[in-house]
Amino acid sequence: RDNPTYVGYGACTDGRKMALSAKSQISGNVKSTIMGFKPLIGREYDDPMIQQNISDMFSEVLKQDDGSIGFRVDYEEKQLVLSPENVTASLLIYLKSVAEAKLGFAVNDCVISVPLYFCDYQRRAMLFAAKTAGLNVLRLMNDTSAIALAYGIYKQDLPAEKEKSRLVVFVDIGDNNTQISAVGFNKGRLDVKKALADPQLGGRHFGERICNFFKTEFTKKYNINVDSRARAALRLQTECEKLKKTMSANTTSIPLNIECFMNDIDVSGRMSREQFEELTHDLFERLRHLLQELLYNAPFTVEDIDAVEIVGGSTRIPKCKTIIEEVLHKTCSTTLNADEATARGCTLQCAILSPAFKVRDFAINDIVQSGIKLVWYNADGTTGGDMEVFTKGHMFPFSKMLTFYRKDNLILEASYSNPIPHTQSVIGRFEIGPIKPEEDGSSTKVKVKVKVDIHGIFSVESAHTVTKIQVPVEEEKKEEKKDAKKTEKKEEKMETEEAQENGSDSDEKMKENGSEEIMTEEKKKPKTKTKTIQNPLEVTTTKKGYTPKELQDAWERENSMIATDKLIKDRLNAKNAVEEYVYDMRDKMYGHLSKFISEADKEVYMAELSKTEDWLYDEGENCQKQVYINKLAELKKVGDKVQMRSNESEGRQGALNLLGSSLVQVRKVLELINNKDEKYDHLSEEDIKALAEKDLEYQGVFNDLCNKVANQKLHEDPVVTVAQINLKRKEFDDKCQPIVNKPKPKVEPPPVPAEEPKKEESAGETPMESSDANTAEQAAPAADTPPADPASADPTSMDLD
């Protein structure tokens, strides 16, 4: 449920570790465990902001040939260089497997949240990681928008669409950044009014101040350099994180003690909340400044704010709550889950966008964090002009149609018009063509459609030229008759009108001849009209990013790692099966199985178990899967035989008891037959003779089996098995039970003679009533005769026996 961003690589004997398992073994695999890589997605190695993050990472970070970031890790006895996108894809595949195991079906669609300050290049890098993982991203969602959706979709008392929105401010202080968003809610819709972020203000930065404080103190007090050993620095970071959480709930000074920290030295220190707030004073001021900036030039005032919701682990720091309440004049509300609010919002958005679920529609109108401008160039490379297409705070997803007048191809360059926390301010270049001038030499009108899509990514979606031409106007044809039923009547009417026209005088014919002459003149000068034609143009996009070949290579490498991980997992399972069997059989040999093996064989088998245990931790540490399977099979040759003796010993007596019960049942039947019991008087002499013979025969078999079982030694293989005893019982039952359960033949009752009808019948009595009455008289017993059975006297009584 809670999966930290840890991915651990290692030798081929271990495979990859994900999330919690990677975090738990990081102390033994510091260099090949990558953590906190989400802020590095789509970043350059030389980015000053990234240099601060890299200095605090324990894995080896290097600069790749294209200037991007790479992690050097050990995997399959060789070194690999992986990008943050590759590591993110590995974690996404793991999360996909977790979801599929929980849901019970394949997962393909997803919604991923990203910090709101992620630029175009970073968002495309996240999509690349998702494609490598085989996921279809329905939407890249800003963190604060996901939080707002998780808050608003369950609210039943939101104002109507045309009423004043309910304004809620969300403050998210996470591990790597702080994001603040003011959102207006109406029924079925949320509108982001303003949003800000600080990528250098998060829980990790508060923790770094505590670590640096104790590093300096330990250097002075114990003369040790903590940064010289990655494992020691990791232990200190873990303890400082615990100290930070403890200080949030206590005002007293909190101790910090680490045993055998470095060079077998035990270190200790203390810190109070006052010291912590003094060390991080500038970070708290950055939070105050960010909140004040939210109110500056905002489309709302502080009085318009209806509520303030805080999420993120670092909002538990008391000083953060105090600053938020001081600036926004509202008490902080914690109705949302501080750790899962973003994930829940993404889940709800995915359900809304997916056709597989029926969820209440809830529109999300987000805003861009920086304006986007377009610059177009002339044929000689000079700048032809520029325009801001999307201003800062413009709603998205949104598209616009732009008009240009060109005689040659159009080259556009899109970039951010405001400063962004990234070195890549240029979004990309777009070449549109081929464009030619008009026939008269004038410029051609070009329409270009630009768009910021649902992921927040800018693109030139399409382009076309607009050309106007003159075309002749054709004569309008007569309208066809629509009603088929009235066609005949209308034809008759038309014939009548034609007859009247034919019967007109000569003047009318002259007019008709004149009209023909006019029509001839008009044909010499046909009428024309202006028609607009749209010719689509080709748009060539050039963006810094990943090519299809790079995507294919990353996908193949990831699948290769998945296959290797499966082989490693199967091998480890086979090895663990051998180890488990050794420990299990050793305990059983000293327990309930000890009497089923001779002392000499036991001594040899115990020696073999000990030898196998030593082999597992020496030569058998890294063997193939089949080697472990063969080793387990060798141990089971003796172990299974001993276990079989135990199972036979436990089941033999029960099987004999069942056979004896069958014999006793048949013997009782024979006794009843000898006593002339009516229940078995229908059996023939042959049946009775066969039953007696089988009883005598199997009584001897039973006695023989009992003698063999009595002489059976526990540490020897059984002479008589449970299966053999059960087979004998089945043979006996198959031969005797059909005779014992043979049903009696049915005896047909004698035919009842028909009675003669009475000669005299009453007028109102029918023969049927007379027959019923006679039957009733015959069935009724004498009044003075008591019933033979009490149940016959009382029809409601029941024989409980």
Side-chain angles (χ1 to χ4, degrees), residues 704-715:
D704 182 54
L705 293 175
C706 289
N707 292 332
K708 290 180 179 180
V709 170
N711 297 326
Q712 175 70 54
K713 293 183 180 180
L714 296 178
H715 63 273

Side-chain angles (χ1 to χ4, degrees), residues 462-526:
S462 63
H464 62 269
T465 59
V466 179
T467 305
K468 294 182 178 180
I469 60 173
Q470 300 293 326
V471 296
V473 180
E474 297 180 358
E475 292 184 358
E476 295 183 358
K477 298 180 179 180
K478 294 182 179 180
E479 296 182 357
E480 297 181 355
K481 305 302 181 287
K482 296 181 180 180
D483 193 350
K485 295 182 180 180
K486 298 181 180 180
T487 302
E488 297 179 358
K489 296 182 179 180
K490 290 183 178 180
E491 288 178 353
E492 292 176 358
K493 185 177 180 181
M494 290 174 63
E495 290 175 358
T496 306
E497 291 175 355
E498 288 176 359
Q500 292 176 356
E501 290 175 358
N502 293 332
S504 60
D505 54 10
S506 60
D507 293 337
E508 291 178 352
K509 292 181 180 180
M510 291 292 293
K511 290 179 182 179
E512 289 178 2
N513 294 334
S515 64
E516 290 178 359
E517 293 178 359
I518 296 173
M519 290 287 290
T520 305
E521 292 178 359
E522 288 180 354
K523 287 181 181 179
K524 294 178 181 179
K525 297 180 180 179

